[in-house]
Structures are given as structure tokens and as C-alpha cells.
Amino acid sequence: MKRVLVVDDSLSVARQLEKIISESGDFVCVGHAKNGAEAIKMNHTENPEIICMDMNMPGMDGLTALRTLSVMDKEVKVVMVTSLGGVGDKFTEALKLGAKNVISKPFEVDNVLRILREL
Amino acid sequence: MAVKFFGQFLVEQGLVSRDALISAIDLQDQKNLKLGEMAVSMGYITQVDIERAHNAQMSKDMKLGDLLVEMGFLTLTQLDDVITRQKNTHLYIGEALVQVGALTGESLQQHLADFKADQAQYISDGIELPVNIANSKIWEMTADLTYKMITRVLDLQFRPGKCVTVEMLPPSFMMAAMDFSGDVEARYLISVSEGLQKSVAKAILHEESVEAESVEVLEDTVMEFVNVVCGNVAAKASQMGVIMNIDPPVTIHPPTGGLPVPAGHTALCFPIHIGDGDRMELILLIKN
């Protein structure tokens, strides 16, 4: 099963994503980081294959963390899960920084799983 | 289920690859000349004129085109010509994807039709504001999108009350707030009663009961609802050419007497009546 790290300052979103991931049968959730800085640390300690990360977080935001992760770890695949997905500039910046896809909130379970399985 | 732009819809649905979309966006960047570049290419101004105007922009909050007219580099007729040429030669993302070989002309038409159907639920129904206020279209859209998200995300039946201006923010069990910055400055607030907070939590967490949830989790669900609405408002605003940045949400516990509206702000209150006496309010604290 592929190892997934969830990064979101919202407890409720993290819970939703952890539930979707753990019930999928294809993925296992290895942890929950509350901002970009924690995500970078947990990427090192938990060695996930996939990171589902929010953009808008207090402290280090998702795009800053993505920029760092894309330099530090070429293997990990990052998918942004964000309410800002529909803002064209943010979406394009995320893809150019190396995100594999951007999922808009509110998200649908089937859509999240399809995108994770396609990675 | 959210406000999207066409390129995002295609990648999210797996209809084009992220690499193809990046190539198409790069092609757009090459082909779609900015206003100054277009004016130079049409022979109306020089690169030096643009640099002078850019320098002047540091001390004047004006669009480049208006500034070029004010500084005498362009006439109003020439500015209109430049804008018309920009519109007539604009390479849209769908056409760019065809040019980079990611879509055929036929598949583009089909995907455009699917995209329009997906986004039809977010077309504004029109909201009336009680006062003349700058950027009124943005605030109407914000209220309209809030109503749509109450239906789609929270699955609640409601009746919107008449929007009024207020001097005091009414007392409530709790509020979740998010600040907008960029082309407009405002604070977006949703206030909820105790019962409604639980309804929001049930919908956000997809749980039948939330009685055992902590206060932190219950408040987080209201903040997440505000985050989802405001992110989608920012997306819709970007389609309208308005930049709206958002900060992470916060919670507020207003005193029993309510909260005064800060000086220099207009407060618009949109009452939202939900069944069983539960009440929600959308409040927009707009900087004048």
C-alpha cells in the first residue's frame, strides 16, 4: 500500500482525508502535518510516497513547502488539496512547482481516489 | 463541485496531462501580449515610454493603460485600439491545448460543453445590496456563492433574509472569519447558533452524530466551511479580473452585546434563516 502524508491546518479536513485514504484499500495514512514546515519534517521521518497538501495554512504555506520539497525530494508526489484550486495563478504556480495535480475543495471522494490512483 | 477554470477541470478529470497544460500556458504567455507589449508592437509607444510609466506607477495607483494616456504617450483612441487588438488576438487555454496537440478541435468543443455544465451551478442568481458600495458585483457574488455552498456543502434548506447595513455585529454563539486582501479589502464572517454549529460539523465531517466531538473540532468545521466558501469566492473573483487573497480562517466569540463595526468599514449583514429556529448570518466588513 502506498504511504500518504496529509498536510492541512484544518482538523476536519485532515480527518476526512485520513478516512478516505485508510478506507481505500490502496493507501495508508502515515501522519498529519498542520503546516508546510511540519510537512517537510514529516516527509523526512515518515518517508511518504504521496503528500496531500493544503495551500492556505498558517506558518509555512503549501506553495512554499512544495517549493522546498521539490528540491529536497524528487521522488515524493505532491497533490494540492485546496479551496484556492480555481484561482488560475495559484493552480499554475502549483503545477510549475511540481505538484502532480490540484484538487479543489469541496472535493468528492471518488475524485480524490481516482487522482491518487493515477499517480 | 467547486469553482474551477477550464485548464484545471481538464487536468482534474484526467483529460489532459499536467505537462500538456503547462506547455499550453507557456504558449499563452508567449502569444498573449501584455498591454504595453501590444502598444509597442502596434508602433504607438516605445519600450522607454513603458519604463517611464512603470516608474510612475510606483507612486500612482493607476492601471498602465490609463497612466500611458495621462502621461500623453497614448491617446484614448489608441488605448481602445490596443485593448481591442488584445481581445481579438487572445489565445484561450482550449485553443492553446489544441495547438500543443493535447486536444483535437472536436474534443475541445465536447469538453467545453461538459465544463459549462459543471460550472452552471455557480452562475450568479443576482443579489441586491442596500447601499451603493464599491465593487458591489464582488459582494453580490460572495453572498450568492455562500448561499450555493450552504446548499451543496452543508445540505441545508434555508431562506435568505434581506441584506441590511449594521452598526453592530449581532451577538452569536460563535463566528468564523477570513480576511480578503488584494484588489479589495474585507473580512468575511459567518456566525452560527449552537445548534447550527452541530449541523455544520455533521455535514463537514460526514458523521451522523457529533455529540462526542471536542469544541476544537466543532469550531474547526465552521472555519473549514468559511475556507471553502472564501477560496471559491477568490476563484470566481479571479474570473472577474479581481485579485482576492485569503488568510487562514480564525474563530471569534462575540460578547453578548455584539461587536461594534470598526471605523472606516461598512458592514453588510445577510440573515440566513434555517429551520427549527437555527440562524446563520453572513457578514461582510468592507473597508471603505
Side-chain angles (χ1 to χ4, degrees):
Chain A
M1 290 206 281
K2 289 190 175 171
R3 299 164 58 78
V4 184
L5 174 67
V6 171
V7 187
D8 202 306
D9 58 314
S10 164
L11 296 172
S12 45
V13 174
R15 248 173 67 169
Q16 280 181 73
L17 285 172
E18 283 168 0
K19 192 175 173 192
I20 293 168
I21 289 163
S22 59
E23 289 178 354
S24 68
D26 298 331
F27 307 101
V28 58
C29 183
V30 296
H32 165 215
K34 289 180 185 164
N35 59 42
E38 274 188 29
I40 291 165
K41 280 186 201 161
M42 289 184 74
N43 181 59
H44 185 65
T45 57
E46 305 302 327
N47 196 26
E49 292 158 278
I50 298 169
I51 296 178
C52 291
M53 183 155 64
D54 190 14
M55 275 190 197
N56 186 29
M57 294 181 287
M60 186 186 287
D61 67 21
L63 288 178
T64 307
L66 175 62
R67 194 174 287 117
T68 307
L69 285 165
S70 63
V71 174
M72 287 173 60
D73 186 345
K74 304 281 185 202
E75 300 298 320
V76 70
K77 292 170 178 167
V78 181
V79 174
M80 306 306 285
V81 183
T82 173
S83 64
L84 288 169
V87 180
D89 290 348
K90 298 275 187 194
F91 178 87
T92 305
E93 189 179 358
L95 289 195
K96 288 193 171 182
L97 286 172
K100 296 298 178 191
N101 212 324
V102 179
I103 301 172
S104 285
K105 291 178 187 174
F107 50 73
E108 285 147 359
V109 175
D110 292 348
N111 199 33
V112 173
L113 288 177
R114 181 181 55 74
I115 286 170
L116 293 184
R117 287 181 176 129
E118 282 172 0
L119 293 175
Chain B
M1 202 174 165
V3 175
K4 294 170 192 166
F5 73 98
F6 187 44
Q8 179 194 16
F9 172 80
L10 294 170
V11 172
E12 207 179 275
Q13 296 294 314
L15 300 168
V16 302
S17 70
R18 67 180 272 285
D19 292 342
L21 182 63
I22 290 173
S23 299
I25 290 168
D26 287 343
L27 183 65
Q28 278 187 302
D29 288 343
Q30 287 169 30
K31 300 259 177 169
N32 292 336
L33 298 184
K34 291 177 182 156
L35 186 129
E37 293 168 340
M38 184 62 86
V40 171
S41 78
M42 291 169 76
Y44 288 153
I45 58 171
T46 67
Q47 193 60 41
V48 174
D49 298 335
I50 293 180
E51 283 164 22
R52 283 184 188 156
H54 278 156
N55 286 337
Q57 262 186 322
M58 290 178 194
S59 56
K60 278 194 172 183
D61 185 20
M62 287 177 74
K63 288 182 179 174
L64 181 67
D66 296 333
L67 199 54
L68 285 166
V69 172
E70 189 183 89
M71 294 174 78
F73 296 137
L74 275 181
T75 65
L76 265 177
T77 309
Q78 286 173 328
L79 177 60
D80 285 344
D81 284 350
V82 172
I83 291 169
T84 302
R85 177 77 67 90
Q86 269 190 310
K87 282 182 183 164
N88 291 344
T89 60
H90 187 85
L91 179 66
Y92 289 94
I93 191 65
E95 296 162 348
L97 283 162
V98 171
Q99 289 192 21
V100 300
L103 291 178
T104 63
E106 200 174 286
S107 63
L108 170 62
Q109 292 312 314
Q110 181 58 51
H111 297 327
L112 267 174
D114 293 343
F115 173 67
K116 282 179 184 166
D118 181 77
Q119 294 293 293
Q121 57 189 318
Y122 296 113
I123 293 172
S124 178
D125 292 338
I127 305 272
E128 271 189 37
L129 301 184
V131 285
N132 266 338
I133 196 158
N135 302 301
S136 59
K137 291 287 172 205
I138 290 292
W139 309 124
E140 288 166 20
M141 175 273 286
T142 302
D144 182 64
L145 206 47
T146 302
Y147 296 155
K148 287 183 164 69
M149 289 292 178
I150 291 170
T151 304
R152 291 193 173 81
V153 178
L154 303 182
D155 196 21
L156 292 173
Q157 300 292 319
F158 68 95
R159 180 175 57 79
K162 191 178 177 191
C163 171
V164 292
T165 53
V166 292
E167 300 299 323
M168 289 285 287
L169 306 190
S172 65
F173 180 67
M174 73 156 286
M175 291 176 163
M178 193 168 234
D179 289 334
F180 290 122
S181 58
D183 289 343
V184 294
E185 282 191 50
R187 171 163 271 205
Y188 177 101
L189 298 115
I190 287 283
S191 73
V192 292
S193 57
E194 187 171 7
L196 197 55
Q197 185 194 51
K198 288 180 180 161
S199 301
V200 172
K202 284 180 192 170
I204 295 287
L205 296 171
H206 302 284
E207 299 284 0
E208 291 290 319
S209 170
V210 292
E211 295 304 324
E213 298 294 347
S214 66
V215 171
E216 189 185 13
V217 167
L218 293 175
E219 292 192 347
D220 182 85
T221 58
V222 184
M223 285 198 288
E224 182 53 25
F225 176 68
V226 165
N227 178 43
V228 166
V229 176
C230 290
N232 281 273
V233 165
K236 198 80 178 169
S238 76
Q239 292 172 3
M240 297 161 75
V242 175
I243 295 169
M244 289 176 87
N245 304 312
I246 56 174
D247 290 333
V250 294
T251 54
I252 297 168
H253 295 277
T256 47
L259 278 170
V261 174
H265 289 72
T266 299
L268 299 179
C269 180
F270 301 78
I272 299 165
H273 306 284
I274 313 229
D276 299 330
D278 278 331
R279 190 172 160 133
M280 177 187 268
E281 270 129 7
L282 159 65
I283 296 156
L284 296 173
L285 267 183
I286 302 163
K287 194 170 179 185
N288 297 332

